Amino acid sequence: MLRVAVVGSGPSGCYAAQSLVQQDPDVLVDVLDRLPCPYGLVRYGVAPDHEKIKSLQNNLRAVLEHERVRFLGGVRVGPDGVGAARLRELYHAVVYCVGAAADRRLGIPGEELRGSWSATEFVSWYSAHPDATAGAFDGPALGARTAVVIGVGNVAVDVTRMLARGATELSPTDMPQAALASLAASEITRVHMVGRRGPSHARFTTKELRELSTLPDTRVDVNPAELELDPDYVDPSSLPAARRRNVEVLRGWATAPAPSGRRRIRLRFFLRPVEILADGDRVCGVRLERTEPDAHGGLTGTGRYEEIEAQLVLRSVGYRGVPLDGLPFDPASGTVPHSAGRVLRDGRPSPGEYVAGWIKRGPTGVIGTNRPCAKETATSLLQDAPELAAGRVPDDPVAALRAEGCEPVEWWGWEAIERAEAALGASLGRGVVKLPDWESLMTAARTGRH
């Protein structure tokens, strides 16, 4: 049997495991994750009010319950855990599916002020990620009246929507109770979503964009003059279908009478942040420069500025991969150098080391994009299988891990966490409610031992 470790239990990791066991009946896969919970960004990145997308967990669950796949949570890979070299001693091959863990920075003054956060930090908080800063958005942060979301992708739309949601819509979700209480008590009534380019270049999907106009007691505004600065907005005939649909939605909002609503979402374009303004050590606004398209498909600053008063700034300008201990890394692309998923060291394939997902191709695509990406990597690995299988590895890597002080959370531990979250929700008169911290997760996991 060929023993393979897949590092990461999000979509790319699960799809890699699925492809391996489907293509070869002589493969055993251990899916390792730093967290005691599986599913990666499906659990901790998809907005809690997007139940249809979150239901993808059921598909990933089927992979992790396969008879030749084993989930091992709570296993750190790297300098503070199991190193890359040690993994190669325990498994015939290792597939790294670790995503892109770092946020891109704006690189402008004021980014470190209180009230300035990455959108990822906000998402982690309302998604109950155990690494989230406890209480980060309680009290003063959501005591803000106006928020600025910098970015016009789906994550920016998600956080904008969550700021505008009320308790009635959020209570049925699995959001942790503290986050629900804070958002329900939020005083934010204005959210500005700001993009440096024009509407035809926005990276949100049309479905997500339209959803903003369905929020109760909320109106969505656009500035027609701002939209018309984009030549492809004026004439969208040459745009790809998805971007053309976005333009059509925005055009409808620009021409329709503004609906009433206590909350107001404003979509702004051709503005780039140059400074987050301070009142002492706290955010009090954002200074923006008007941009315009240049003759080469890029942007140029106009030297005209405006300021938006705000007490909360969420930066949603993309992700970057981070170096993995013991693996080569390309800092320019934020990825591990590879050829069809085979890790390259000094331009040559490194036996038994593979990548899939964002650490392979960069933070691009949607969840489904990970499936063909993972299949390509699995195919490469299985082509190499005859040579890989010649290596000697332990009969049971878990026994070796335990001997070295690592105590993985196996599937029964995850099922115990699920039961604890269902019980917590029932006690609060809600559905499933996520456990928000490491202590409660690990305590719950231990109750499932049998």
Side-chain angles (χ1 to χ4, degrees), residues 175-206:
M175 177 181 290
Q177 187 68 15
L180 173 64
S182 292
L183 286 168
S186 169
E187 299 175 17
I188 292 174
T189 56
R190 291 192 175 218
V191 184
H192 300 262
M193 192 165 68
V194 179
R196 63 187 181 90
R197 298 178 70 90
S200 70
H201 290 89
R203 300 180 69 88
F204 40 62
T205 56
T206 307

mmCIF file of all heavy atoms in Angstrom, residues 175-206:
data_model
loop_
_atom_site.group_PDB
_atom_site.id
_atom_site.type_symbol
_atom_site.label_atom_id
_atom_site.label_comp_id
_atom_site.label_asym_id
_atom_site.label_seq_id
_atom_site.Cartn_x
_atom_site.Cartn_y
_atom_site.Cartn_z
ATOM 1 N N MET A 175 -23.146 31.029 13.523
ATOM 2 C CA MET A 175 -22.264 32.067 14.073
ATOM 3 C C MET A 175 -22.163 31.939 15.592
ATOM 4 O O MET A 175 -23.149 31.659 16.270
ATOM 5 C CB MET A 175 -22.835 33.443 13.709
ATOM 6 C CG MET A 175 -22.083 34.630 14.271
ATOM 7 S SD MET A 175 -22.878 36.179 13.802
ATOM 8 C CE MET A 175 -22.514 36.209 12.056
ATOM 9 N N PRO A 176 -20.959 32.138 16.154
ATOM 10 C CA PRO A 176 -20.837 32.053 17.618
ATOM 11 C C PRO A 176 -21.689 33.105 18.302
ATOM 12 O O PRO A 176 -21.948 34.193 17.754
ATOM 13 C CB PRO A 176 -19.345 32.282 17.866
ATOM 14 C CG PRO A 176 -18.841 32.964 16.640
ATOM 15 C CD PRO A 176 -19.673 32.454 15.502
ATOM 16 N N GLN A 177 -22.121 32.812 19.499
ATOM 17 C CA GLN A 177 -23.078 33.657 20.193
ATOM 18 C C GLN A 177 -22.537 35.062 20.441
ATOM 19 O O GLN A 177 -23.274 36.045 20.298
ATOM 20 C CB GLN A 177 -23.479 33.005 21.518
ATOM 21 C CG GLN A 177 -24.608 33.704 22.255
ATOM 22 C CD GLN A 177 -25.949 33.601 21.536
ATOM 23 O OE1 GLN A 177 -26.108 32.782 20.627
ATOM 24 N NE2 GLN A 177 -26.910 34.410 21.946
ATOM 25 N N ALA A 178 -21.264 35.189 20.798
ATOM 26 C CA ALA A 178 -20.704 36.516 21.081
ATOM 27 C C ALA A 178 -20.710 37.386 19.835
ATOM 28 O O ALA A 178 -21.019 38.586 19.898
ATOM 29 C CB ALA A 178 -19.281 36.386 21.633
ATOM 30 N N ALA A 179 -20.378 36.806 18.680
ATOM 31 C CA ALA A 179 -20.390 37.571 17.432
ATOM 32 C C ALA A 179 -21.816 37.965 17.059
ATOM 33 O O ALA A 179 -22.067 39.098 16.614
ATOM 34 C CB ALA A 179 -19.753 36.753 16.312
ATOM 35 N N LEU A 180 -22.756 37.046 17.240
ATOM 36 C CA LEU A 180 -24.157 37.362 16.959
ATOM 37 C C LEU A 180 -24.629 38.533 17.814
ATOM 38 O O LEU A 180 -25.261 39.477 17.316
ATOM 39 C CB LEU A 180 -25.023 36.134 17.220
ATOM 40 C CG LEU A 180 -26.540 36.346 17.123
ATOM 41 C CD1 LEU A 180 -26.938 36.726 15.709
ATOM 42 C CD2 LEU A 180 -27.291 35.100 17.574
ATOM 43 N N ALA A 181 -24.304 38.500 19.102
ATOM 44 C CA ALA A 181 -24.739 39.572 19.997
ATOM 45 C C ALA A 181 -24.123 40.901 19.590
ATOM 46 O O ALA A 181 -24.800 41.949 19.597
ATOM 47 C CB ALA A 181 -24.357 39.226 21.436
ATOM 48 N N SER A 182 -22.845 40.898 19.211
ATOM 49 C CA SER A 182 -22.172 42.139 18.825
ATOM 50 C C SER A 182 -22.745 42.708 17.537
ATOM 51 O O SER A 182 -22.997 43.911 17.438
ATOM 52 C CB SER A 182 -20.670 41.896 18.665
ATOM 53 O OG SER A 182 -20.076 41.614 19.903
ATOM 54 N N LEU A 183 -22.955 41.853 16.542
ATOM 55 C CA LEU A 183 -23.506 42.348 15.281
ATOM 56 C C LEU A 183 -24.951 42.808 15.454
ATOM 57 O O LEU A 183 -25.371 43.783 14.832
ATOM 58 C CB LEU A 183 -23.414 41.255 14.215
ATOM 59 C CG LEU A 183 -22.002 41.006 13.678
ATOM 60 C CD1 LEU A 183 -21.962 39.732 12.850
ATOM 61 C CD2 LEU A 183 -21.515 42.188 12.855
ATOM 62 N N ALA A 184 -25.708 42.129 16.307
ATOM 63 C CA ALA A 184 -27.095 42.534 16.549
ATOM 64 C C ALA A 184 -27.158 43.909 17.199
ATOM 65 O O ALA A 184 -28.104 44.676 16.967
ATOM 66 C CB ALA A 184 -27.792 41.505 17.423
ATOM 67 N N ALA A 185 -26.139 44.234 18.024
ATOM 68 C CA ALA A 185 -26.120 45.519 18.729
ATOM 69 C C ALA A 185 -25.360 46.595 17.960
ATOM 70 O O ALA A 185 -25.237 47.731 18.436
ATOM 71 C CB ALA A 185 -25.475 45.334 20.106
ATOM 72 N N SER A 186 -24.855 46.258 16.772
ATOM 73 C CA SER A 186 -24.028 47.196 16.009
ATOM 74 C C SER A 186 -24.776 48.488 15.687
ATOM 75 O O SER A 186 -25.966 48.472 15.370
ATOM 76 C CB SER A 186 -23.578 46.535 14.711
ATOM 77 O OG SER A 186 -22.999 47.486 13.839
ATOM 78 N N GLU A 187 -24.063 49.592 15.756
ATOM 79 C CA GLU A 187 -24.628 50.899 15.419
ATOM 80 C C GLU A 187 -24.292 51.328 14.004
ATOM 81 O O GLU A 187 -24.579 52.457 13.595
ATOM 82 C CB GLU A 187 -24.109 51.947 16.410
ATOM 83 C CG GLU A 187 -24.488 51.668 17.857
ATOM 84 C CD GLU A 187 -23.852 52.657 18.824
ATOM 85 O OE1 GLU A 187 -23.401 53.726 18.362
ATOM 86 O OE2 GLU A 187 -23.805 52.356 20.027
ATOM 87 N N ILE A 188 -23.626 50.442 13.230
ATOM 88 C CA ILE A 188 -23.216 50.800 11.869
ATOM 89 C C ILE A 188 -24.444 50.907 10.968
ATOM 90 O O ILE A 188 -25.235 49.967 10.862
ATOM 91 C CB ILE A 188 -22.233 49.755 11.311
ATOM 92 C CG1 ILE A 188 -20.908 49.829 12.079
ATOM 93 C CG2 ILE A 188 -21.979 49.976 9.815
ATOM 94 C CD1 ILE A 188 -19.923 48.750 11.720
ATOM 95 N N THR A 189 -24.600 52.046 10.348
ATOM 96 C CA THR A 189 -25.701 52.259 9.412
ATOM 97 C C THR A 189 -25.221 52.611 8.010
ATOM 98 O O THR A 189 -26.025 52.641 7.077
ATOM 99 C CB THR A 189 -26.635 53.378 9.900
ATOM 100 O OG1 THR A 189 -25.867 54.572 10.102
ATOM 101 C CG2 THR A 189 -27.327 52.977 11.196
ATOM 102 N N ARG A 190 -23.910 52.881 7.855
ATOM 103 C CA ARG A 190 -23.373 53.183 6.526
ATOM 104 C C ARG A 190 -22.132 52.340 6.283
ATOM 105 O O ARG A 190 -21.237 52.268 7.122
ATOM 106 C CB ARG A 190 -22.998 54.658 6.393
ATOM 107 C CG ARG A 190 -24.207 55.583 6.375
ATOM 108 C CD ARG A 190 -23.812 56.978 5.952
ATOM 109 N NE ARG A 190 -24.975 57.822 5.814
ATOM 110 C CZ ARG A 190 -25.137 58.746 4.870
ATOM 111 N NH1 ARG A 190 -24.186 58.936 3.989
ATOM 112 N NH2 ARG A 190 -26.227 59.464 4.819
ATOM 113 N N VAL A 191 -22.096 51.704 5.117
ATOM 114 C CA VAL A 191 -20.929 50.932 4.707
ATOM 115 C C VAL A 191 -20.543 51.374 3.297
ATOM 116 O O VAL A 191 -21.377 51.318 2.384
ATOM 117 C CB VAL A 191 -21.196 49.412 4.717
ATOM 118 C CG1 VAL A 191 -19.918 48.652 4.366
ATOM 119 C CG2 VAL A 191 -21.732 48.956 6.067
ATOM 120 N N HIS A 192 -19.307 51.839 3.155
ATOM 121 C CA HIS A 192 -18.772 52.213 1.843
ATOM 122 C C HIS A 192 -17.859 51.085 1.370
ATOM 123 O O HIS A 192 -16.905 50.724 2.068
ATOM 124 C CB HIS A 192 -17.962 53.508 1.928
ATOM 125 C CG HIS A 192 -18.741 54.683 2.418
ATOM 126 N ND1 HIS A 192 -19.294 55.612 1.577
ATOM 127 C CD2 HIS A 192 -19.057 55.072 3.683
ATOM 128 C CE1 HIS A 192 -19.918 56.540 2.290
ATOM 129 N NE2 HIS A 192 -19.792 56.231 3.568
ATOM 130 N N MET A 193 -18.134 50.527 0.195
ATOM 131 C CA MET A 193 -17.258 49.515 -0.391
ATOM 132 C C MET A 193 -16.520 50.170 -1.556
ATOM 133 O O MET A 193 -17.142 50.661 -2.505
ATOM 134 C CB MET A 193 -18.060 48.304 -0.863
ATOM 135 C CG MET A 193 -17.205 47.119 -1.207
ATOM 136 S SD MET A 193 -18.145 45.569 -1.333
ATOM 137 C CE MET A 193 -19.116 45.877 -2.784
ATOM 138 N N VAL A 194 -15.183 50.173 -1.484
ATOM 139 C CA VAL A 194 -14.369 51.034 -2.346
ATOM 140 C C VAL A 194 -13.430 50.196 -3.201
ATOM 141 O O VAL A 194 -12.700 49.338 -2.692
ATOM 142 C CB VAL A 194 -13.545 52.017 -1.483
ATOM 143 C CG1 VAL A 194 -12.670 52.897 -2.369
ATOM 144 C CG2 VAL A 194 -14.473 52.881 -0.629
ATOM 145 N N GLY A 195 -13.417 50.467 -4.507
ATOM 146 C CA GLY A 195 -12.497 49.806 -5.430
ATOM 147 C C GLY A 195 -11.653 50.821 -6.171
ATOM 148 O O GLY A 195 -12.147 51.888 -6.545
ATOM 149 N N ARG A 196 -10.397 50.474 -6.418
ATOM 150 C CA ARG A 196 -9.501 51.421 -7.095
ATOM 151 C C ARG A 196 -9.708 51.419 -8.602
ATOM 152 O O ARG A 196 -9.341 52.367 -9.281
ATOM 153 C CB ARG A 196 -8.048 51.094 -6.770
ATOM 154 C CG ARG A 196 -7.571 49.758 -7.244
ATOM 155 C CD ARG A 196 -6.173 49.425 -6.747
ATOM 156 N NE ARG A 196 -5.728 48.130 -7.244
ATOM 157 C CZ ARG A 196 -5.062 47.954 -8.385
ATOM 158 N NH1 ARG A 196 -4.758 49.017 -9.129
ATOM 159 N NH2 ARG A 196 -4.705 46.765 -8.776
ATOM 160 N N ARG A 197 -10.300 50.335 -9.122
ATOM 161 C CA ARG A 197 -10.569 50.258 -10.558
ATOM 162 C C ARG A 197 -12.061 50.456 -10.811
ATOM 163 O O ARG A 197 -12.833 50.704 -9.884
ATOM 164 C CB ARG A 197 -10.103 48.918 -11.116
ATOM 165 C CG ARG A 197 -8.596 48.689 -10.972
ATOM 166 C CD ARG A 197 -8.191 47.327 -11.485
ATOM 167 N NE ARG A 197 -8.302 47.256 -12.926
ATOM 168 C CZ ARG A 197 -7.308 47.563 -13.770
ATOM 169 N NH1 ARG A 197 -6.143 47.974 -13.307
ATOM 170 N NH2 ARG A 197 -7.478 47.467 -15.075
ATOM 171 N N GLY A 198 -12.460 50.290 -12.073
ATOM 172 C CA GLY A 198 -13.848 50.527 -12.445
ATOM 173 C C GLY A 198 -14.737 49.328 -12.221
ATOM 174 O O GLY A 198 -14.276 48.229 -11.888
ATOM 175 N N PRO A 199 -16.039 49.494 -12.406
ATOM 176 C CA PRO A 199 -16.995 48.412 -12.142
ATOM 177 C C PRO A 199 -16.788 47.187 -13.017
ATOM 178 O O PRO A 199 -17.094 46.074 -12.601
ATOM 179 C CB PRO A 199 -18.351 49.066 -12.403
ATOM 180 C CG PRO A 199 -18.058 50.262 -13.258
ATOM 181 C CD PRO A 199 -16.709 50.734 -12.840
ATOM 182 N N SER A 200 -16.261 47.361 -14.217
ATOM 183 C CA SER A 200 -16.081 46.205 -15.095
ATOM 184 C C SER A 200 -14.934 45.316 -14.644
ATOM 185 O O SER A 200 -14.796 44.183 -15.126
ATOM 186 C CB SER A 200 -15.823 46.665 -16.541
ATOM 187 O OG SER A 200 -14.551 47.268 -16.665
ATOM 188 N N HIS A 201 -14.088 45.800 -13.724
ATOM 189 C CA HIS A 201 -12.965 45.022 -13.224
ATOM 190 C C HIS A 201 -13.236 44.435 -11.831
ATOM 191 O O HIS A 201 -12.374 43.750 -11.286
ATOM 192 C CB HIS A 201 -11.696 45.885 -13.153
ATOM 193 C CG HIS A 201 -11.154 46.252 -14.495
ATOM 194 N ND1 HIS A 201 -11.559 47.399 -15.158
ATOM 195 C CD2 HIS A 201 -10.261 45.633 -15.301
ATOM 196 C CE1 HIS A 201 -10.922 47.466 -16.319
ATOM 197 N NE2 HIS A 201 -10.134 46.410 -16.431
ATOM 198 N N ALA A 202 -14.387 44.707 -11.258
ATOM 199 C CA ALA A 202 -14.693 44.189 -9.927
ATOM 200 C C ALA A 202 -14.715 42.663 -9.956
ATOM 201 O O ALA A 202 -15.116 42.051 -10.942
ATOM 202 C CB ALA A 202 -16.039 44.724 -9.453
ATOM 203 N N ARG A 203 -14.271 42.052 -8.861
ATOM 204 C CA ARG A 203 -14.073 40.606 -8.846
ATOM 205 C C ARG A 203 -15.190 39.861 -8.111
ATOM 206 O O ARG A 203 -15.100 38.647 -7.918
ATOM 207 C CB ARG A 203 -12.713 40.278 -8.210
ATOM 208 C CG ARG A 203 -11.557 40.906 -8.963
ATOM 209 C CD ARG A 203 -10.221 40.570 -8.331
ATOM 210 N NE ARG A 203 -9.894 39.162 -8.488
ATOM 211 C CZ ARG A 203 -9.251 38.653 -9.532
ATOM 212 N NH1 ARG A 203 -8.900 39.438 -10.526
ATOM 213 N NH2 ARG A 203 -8.960 37.366 -9.582
ATOM 214 N N PHE A 204 -16.239 40.580 -7.681
ATOM 215 C CA PHE A 204 -17.351 39.865 -7.064
ATOM 216 C C PHE A 204 -18.154 39.133 -8.133
ATOM 217 O O PHE A 204 -18.125 39.483 -9.310
ATOM 218 C CB PHE A 204 -18.260 40.794 -6.255
ATOM 219 C CG PHE A 204 -18.528 42.130 -6.885
ATOM 220 C CD1 PHE A 204 -19.169 42.256 -8.110
ATOM 221 C CD2 PHE A 204 -18.159 43.298 -6.227
ATOM 222 C CE1 PHE A 204 -19.425 43.489 -8.673
ATOM 223 C CE2 PHE A 204 -18.405 44.546 -6.779
ATOM 224 C CZ PHE A 204 -19.048 44.635 -8.002
ATOM 225 N N THR A 205 -18.869 38.099 -7.709
ATOM 226 C CA THR A 205 -19.765 37.398 -8.614
ATOM 227 C C THR A 205 -21.130 38.085 -8.595
ATOM 228 O O THR A 205 -21.509 38.742 -7.628
ATOM 229 C CB THR A 205 -19.925 35.923 -8.214
ATOM 230 O OG1 THR A 205 -20.383 35.857 -6.867
ATOM 231 C CG2 THR A 205 -18.595 35.183 -8.330
ATOM 232 N N THR A 206 -21.861 37.923 -9.675
ATOM 233 C CA THR A 206 -23.134 38.629 -9.812
ATOM 234 C C THR A 206 -24.123 38.207 -8.728
ATOM 235 O O THR A 206 -24.870 39.036 -8.192
ATOM 236 C CB THR A 206 -23.720 38.372 -11.206
ATOM 237 O OG1 THR A 206 -22.744 38.685 -12.194
ATOM 238 C CG2 THR A 206 -24.963 39.221 -11.434
#
